Amino acid sequence: MDGKPFVDGLVLSHPEQMARLRRVCPEAVGAALVAGDPCFDRMLAARTHRDRFRRALGVRRGQRLVVLNSTWNPEGLFGSGDLDILPGLLPRLAAELPADEYRLAAVLHPNIWYGHGPGQVRAWLDEACRAGLTLIDPVRGWRQAVLAADAVVGDFGAVSYYAAALDVPVLMAADGRGRLDPETPLASFVRQAPRLDPYGPLRGQVERLLAAGYGRADAADGVTSVPGASANLLRRHFYRLMNLPEPVAPALLEPLPLPVYEPPRRTAPLRVHTRVDGVDVWIERSPVSPYGAPGDTHVAVHEDTRDAAALEVADLITRDGAPDDPRLGGWRHWVADVMRCYPQCGMAVFVTGPHLCAVRTREGALFCLSADTDTDPDTGADLDPAAYASSLYAWLSSGAQMPSAGVRLRVHAAGGVHPVWVEPVRPRPRSATEAR
């Protein structure tokens, strides 16, 4: 105030910021301190847990996690001036990126949630969420999502810069229209990052980004000049301000928590393209059928779909939950109920775990499908069990006959081969009461 600093400490992360401060406000330099970035230090310390963060988000082997992020500025990706790019971009991404090859998540700045309200934000993004998008906790989960990401589609906010500093490829969807100081490292990064064309085909743009591997690990130099040291530097400064002796024990930051398990939940109808050759089945699932895709096609619909009419024409109807859920009468009762209610349905699929499902065909045959995960974790099966069921549906529809001992299918998806065991399930014998 009155030309003098009114704060005891102005924390900066890099000497470059000190140099700019000296040019624009030399009076504040005496109160400034270069103490690094505790947020980035927490992310650096958690890099070894990347695979855990990916599994928490339900990212399977061979899948690519694409994280979209927006800052709260009106020129950010969620605001995009008057263009409203993100609400239309998200359902298109969910539709164009095959479900088993890509996982989508969105990180929105807390002020977006606060300014519009959670109900409005979820309403705007409902279509994309029903197609498999997950909205990340903007306070407790966004760092883990960035660490888990294979690519980030974002804007000029800090999240994109953190991602680049962690060597995650970034596709710039909103550059801020001059909002940034052109001399900052962030502005330099935004100028150089590849641009997203929100109106062009999206799958090719994401694939080119991943193939090019456009990372900017050098961006870490602009994030902090003292990586890993922020806790010690900040504590030392705080105790100096309080005129107290600093504790002898090292200053430590709180580690990033492991998020709750939150796999994608797709309730939008899926168009499934398949090709069968012996026990090999190629599969691609997506909410929209790509034009000219080869092979046979069927439609798989989750029972909780908002479009109830889609259940009337579904080839497969799926559900997930505990196999003995009393509300459904157990999985056997549920699959029989589906066949009774939807006479056009060819297969009812009850997913009971990350690698298991049970199915019933229109002819009444029961099968248990289990992924062959006993092999090397880098080569074993790891797909959505509903995809295994679609593969079985295609295999049976091709005219194949089920051996009495079952069959081991090889499902081709997400850039790999996923072995799955299909075992016949014998019907339970009827009790004497039921027989009467």
Side-chain angles (χ1 to χ4, degrees):
M1 301 176 67
D2 298 324
K4 297 180 181 180
F6 62 90
V7 294
D8 295 315
L10 180 62
V11 178
L12 308 176
S13 65
H14 198 283
E16 175 273 333
Q17 298 168 4
M18 184 75 80
R20 281 192 291 124
L21 181 65
R22 184 174 288 109
R23 290 196 301 272
V24 299
C25 186
E27 298 85 359
V29 170
L33 167 75
V34 175
D37 186 331
C39 175
F40 189 62
D41 284 352
R42 293 179 73 197
M43 298 174 77
L44 290 176
R47 284 182 298 179
T48 55
H49 300 319
R50 180 175 187 266
D51 287 344
R52 296 180 187 176
F53 298 152
R54 290 172 67 82
R55 287 192 290 268
L57 284 169
V59 180
R60 295 180 178 271
R61 181 174 62 82
Q63 271 190 318
R64 305 294 186 91
L65 172 62
V66 179
V67 173
L68 295 98
N69 84 87
S70 176
T71 190
W72 65 287
N73 193 286
E75 281 75 33
L77 179 54
F78 197 81
S80 308
D82 57 353
L83 301 178
D84 265 348
I85 292 176
L86 190 62
L89 180 67
L90 282 174
R92 286 184 54 221
L93 270 173
E96 292 188 33
L97 300 181
D100 297 305
E101 295 184 29
Y102 290 92
R103 174 82 170 94
L104 288 177
V107 172
L108 306 180
H109 194 282
N111 284 356
I112 293 176
W113 291 93
Y114 176 79
H116 298 291
Q120 181 61 76
V121 171
R122 293 185 183 279
W124 279 331
L125 304 183
D126 176 69
E127 182 181 354
C129 289
R130 286 185 282 116
L133 172 79
T134 293
L135 297 176
I136 301 298
D137 185 310
V139 176
R140 291 176 290 273
W142 69 268
R143 299 172 187 84
Q144 296 90 322
V146 171
L147 284 165
D150 294 291
V152 165
V153 178
D155 58 18
F156 59 97
V159 174
S160 297
Y161 198 41
Y162 280 135
L166 293 165
D167 208 22
V168 178
V170 176
L171 199 57
M172 191 60 55
D175 61 10
R177 300 182 182 179
R179 283 271 181 176
L180 299 176
D181 181 341
E183 297 184 17
T184 62
L186 175 57
S188 174
F189 160 71
V190 169
R191 286 192 297 268
Q192 297 176 37
R195 289 290 190 274
L196 173 77
D197 175 7
Y199 306 108
L202 300 174
R203 180 175 179 178
Q205 296 184 68
V206 173
E207 289 177 344
R208 286 191 294 272
L209 178 74
L210 290 166
Y214 182 83
R216 283 291 304 275
D218 62 315
D221 296 335
V223 171
T224 175
S225 60
V226 284
S230 65
N232 281 319
L233 291 170
L234 287 169
R235 189 180 71 175
R236 185 178 308 154
H237 184 64
F238 296 153
Y239 274 84
R240 185 183 301 122
L241 290 175
M242 294 185 293
N243 197 27
L244 292 173
E246 185 180 359
V248 177
L252 302 173
L253 296 171
E254 189 74 18
L256 294 182
L258 183 64
V260 298
Y261 180 56
E262 193 172 8
R265 190 167 188 271
R266 297 182 178 89
T267 59
L270 289 173
R271 185 78 62 178
V272 186
H273 291 273
T274 58
R275 181 167 62 87
V276 178
D277 183 4
V279 294
D280 289 272
V281 183
W282 285 260
I283 182 171
E284 182 174 293
R285 303 185 303 158
S286 96
V288 176
S289 174
Y291 294 109
D296 295 326
T297 303
H298 62 263
V299 176
V301 183
H302 195 284
E303 191 181 34
D304 287 340
T305 182
R306 182 168 297 181
D307 183 6
L311 294 169
E312 302 291 342
V313 296
D315 300 296
L316 271 76
I317 294 178
T318 67
R319 187 167 193 93
D320 48 273
D324 56 352
D325 189 333
R327 298 171 300 172
L328 305 173
W331 72 267
R332 290 173 183 259
H333 182 87
W334 179 83
V335 295
D337 195 41
V338 167
M339 289 300 170
R340 182 168 55 253
C341 294
Y342 302 101
Q344 89 299 331
C345 178
M347 182 177 286
V349 182
F350 197 103
V351 176
T352 58
H355 303 287
L356 298 169
C357 69
V359 306
R360 173 174 172 158
T361 67
R362 170 53 57 187
E363 294 73 27
L366 297 173
F367 300 102
C368 177
L369 281 67
S370 56
D372 184 358
T373 57
D374 294 333
T375 56
D376 188 299
D378 293 328
T379 59
D382 191 19
L383 283 181
D384 177 358
Y388 298 139
S390 277
S391 300
L392 174 61
Y393 180 86
W395 186 75
L396 292 172
S397 298
S398 72
Q401 297 296 314
M402 180 66 67
S404 59
V407 68
R408 184 173 182 260
L409 298 179
R410 290 164 42 90
V411 183
H412 297 252
V417 180
H418 304 262
V420 57
W421 290 103
V422 182
E423 300 175 277
V425 178
R426 297 185 182 279
R428 286 177 175 171
R430 299 174 65 190
S431 65
T433 303
E434 292 174 323
R436 289 197 298 269

